[in-house]
Amino acid sequence: MNVRPGVVAGDDGSPDAATAGPRRRPMTADQYVQGVLSGDRTLLARAVTLIESNAAAHQELAQEVLTALLPRRQASIRVGITGVPGAGKSTFIEALGGQLTAAGHKVAVLAVDPSSSVTGGSILGDKTRMEKLAADPGAFIRPSPTGGTLGGVARKTRESIVLFEAAGYDVILVETVGVGQSEIQVRSMVDFFLLMLLAGAGDELQGIKKGVVEIADAIVINKADGAGRLAALAARSEFERVLHYLRPNTPGWTTVAHACSALEGEGVADIWQVVQDFAAATRQSGAFADRRAEQEECWLEELVYEGLRTQFAHHTGVAGMRGQLAKQVARGEILATAAARRLLDIFSRPPVSPK
Amino acid sequence: MNVRPGVVAGDDGSPDAATAGPRRRPMTADQYVQGVLSGDRTLLARAVTLIESNAAAHQELAQEVLTALLPRRQASIRVGITGVPGAGKSTFIEALGGQLTAAGHKVAVLAVDPSSSVTGGSILGDKTRMEKLAADPGAFIRPSPTGGTLGGVARKTRESIVLFEAAGYDVILVETVGVGQSEIQVRSMVDFFLLMLLAGAGDELQGIKKGVVEIADAIVINKADGAGRLAALAARSEFERVLHYLRPNTPGWTTVAHACSALEGEGVADIWQVVQDFAAATRQSGAFADRRAEQEECWLEELVYEGLRTQFAHHTGVAGMRGQLAKQVARGEILATAAARRLLDIFSRPPVSPK
């Protein structure tokens, strides 16, 4: 991410005041807030950069900005999209995004990619693969936050969603690849989760990862064009059989497999219709709001336990004993219950402070 | 569980010294230890009762006994068995148990049933349904521990396994029904996990619960006798297709569906052969020992976090704020990150003690 000298950083996530040129003055929380609400893309980009920053001072400011914007969020639908590299997610997102902006929507394209690094970048949210959408004034593409754990990346993405919704983006697409638990994280921050697969040679489906099928609200079998069409339809049929044995991810909703050819633009509108039907049905039944409330509460729980684990791990007494006890437990030398007791006992005592 | 007056409590889990008749003197830890090691069924039963007790004094003693017996455990294979009521688990366990004891094994039959209560008893580990095995000197059937959470029941069962392995039981069967997370708990304490299903009218399979298929090392389609045989074979074929899309639960092992008729005794030996093949393969590859070590470490983690959650929930400051903050988060009024910070901050401060 290069800052071109002399140019105010644009919407490509350039670093903020601390490292940019002399024209950049630090912004106040209120300036960020007003900037986001105004719809200004540059200011929105700077706000997202602020959220993503790991610097302690920025985090305080970020929390202030987010707290102010929380009640200003507008209605939206959040859609998660996963699938192996090569499944055609970028092409699909570009096609879908274009149709949506043409219909007047404002579309944010985010990504959760824990393998993304400051130097290496990410394979997701790659504007070079979504060139048309990247130039679309109704769309905003943001690469994955970098650096650190999946939990950290997911947290920053969740917080960014607050900014985009306050800025009036009514469709939030969150892309991820099948790396570790990233699908589970994305699932927990979206309303609708879409799994993109490729048809294989026969009727088999490429790209199914254990645990992902069960959390999808729709399966899309992509590249169902030309010679691939028959294979895609056979694969879809096969897939319906599998889905029959799995409980639907969202109560009251049947997960269905759809064939599509994003490159040809075929089937993309149908899939969006599925998302809209889902939104309508779940809004009516209350499941939509219930799920969002549950996601927020689960996130709170997650943050609390993460914090507890951190406090626990950093407790001097615990840190000294833990590794040794874990090894003894693994070897069957001491009972897990006994080891846990000892550690919790050490933790519950206030640390001895030097007088 | 009645204590017949004047008779020393037998191996049916009768309550211990505190509530039994005058002939029962409290036992020391060493007496329990020696009793278990000797193979005496009555003393073994009393030791299990001690483990299951919720009384604080008993828990201290129990930990002492378990710690002493931990290094005295003998080699074993632990097999979890789940399936809906009516799938034929009891019949299967009786048939299998009988074959095993005839071959010289010592078989413990345990159960994890969180719905089990002191008054209502449990539908599992019901000796009236396994009459023959209940009278078999080479087998020991123990109903599920009662009272409380799944976590508590699972803990007591895990600890009982220590006793049985120290007493020389080389086959441990742990039964559960498809209630809540009980299969996940049992999966985490056994080497091999078996899912028992019934063939339905056509090719459909009854009793598949989301999340259970994926953790099974073998599927058994029961009651494949007489008219049911064709249905069972069709169901097995259908099932193989589903399994094809799921990753095997144990690395290096292919989960296969088998038809069996426990009532007729058909197929039971074959299934035991599968378990033995599994044990041989995974012992050789190291996966067997690796999994056990991992299970112990995971259990330690689980106990630690359970303990942390308890300490957290009981912290006066936290308890006062938590419900209110959770509601505000669910309603989207405050950020989950902000709420978590506040709670963790309150928790990390030592409670104010009255002077």
Side-chain angles (χ1 to χ4, degrees), chain B residues 134-333:
Chain B
D136 188 328
F140 194 118
I141 302 178
R142 181 79 182 192
S144 172
T146 60
T149 60
L150 170 60
V153 168
R155 178 179 66 75
K156 292 170 182 180
T157 306
R158 279 187 199 250
E159 291 180 338
S160 299
I161 292 174
V162 174
L163 301 180
F164 285 101
E165 290 176 345
Y169 286 77
D170 63 319
V171 177
I172 315 286
L173 305 179
V174 185
E175 191 188 352
T176 189
V177 284
V179 179
Q181 292 285 303
S182 53
E183 288 106 335
I184 308 291
Q185 280 289 345
V186 171
R187 168 72 273 186
S188 67
M189 66 177 86
V190 299
D191 307 307
F192 188 93
F193 195 71
L194 195 151
L195 169 61
M196 189 154 286
L197 300 170
L198 286 169
D203 65 357
E204 75 241 28
L205 286 161
Q206 293 182 14
I208 299 187
K209 184 178 144 193
K210 175 176 174 177
V212 186
V213 169
E214 300 92 309
I215 60 174
D217 293 302
I219 315 279
V220 174
I221 299 169
N222 201 12
K223 303 196 182 175
D225 41 67
R229 184 159 186 77
L230 281 175
L233 292 175
R236 179 174 70 176
S237 174
E238 174 73 358
F239 212 81
E240 295 286 316
R241 302 183 74 131
V242 175
L243 285 174
H244 180 66
Y245 286 104
L246 305 172
R247 295 283 165 81
N249 183 256
T250 304
W253 177 259
T254 304
T255 299
V256 173
H258 307 265
C260 132
S261 171
L263 202 61
E264 314 264 317
E266 246 189 68
V268 176
D270 296 331
I271 288 158
W272 188 247
Q273 187 58 53
V274 169
V275 177
Q276 289 182 295
D277 291 344
F278 175 91
T282 53
R283 277 180 169 132
Q284 181 165 57
S285 72
F288 191 93
D290 285 349
R291 166 181 263 154
R292 283 196 175 187
E294 203 185 311
Q295 287 178 337
E296 291 302 313
E297 283 200 76
C298 282
W299 189 29
L300 172 62
E301 291 272 295
E302 213 179 284
L303 289 166
V304 162
Y305 296 137
E306 199 182 297
L308 279 179
R309 275 193 282 267
T310 306
Q311 281 188 16
F312 185 75
H314 289 158
H315 189 286
T316 338
V318 166
M321 291 296 299
R322 198 177 185 183
Q324 177 194 325
L325 284 173
K327 284 201 188 102
Q328 288 180 286
V329 163
R331 289 195 297 252
E333 290 166 18

Side-chain angles (χ1 to χ4, degrees), chain A residues 300 304, chain B residues 325-326 329 334-344:
Chain A
L300 172 62
V304 162
Chain B
L325 284 173
V329 163
I334 59 173
L335 269 172
T337 33
R341 266 189 174 194
R342 284 176 69 179
L343 290 171
L344 288 166

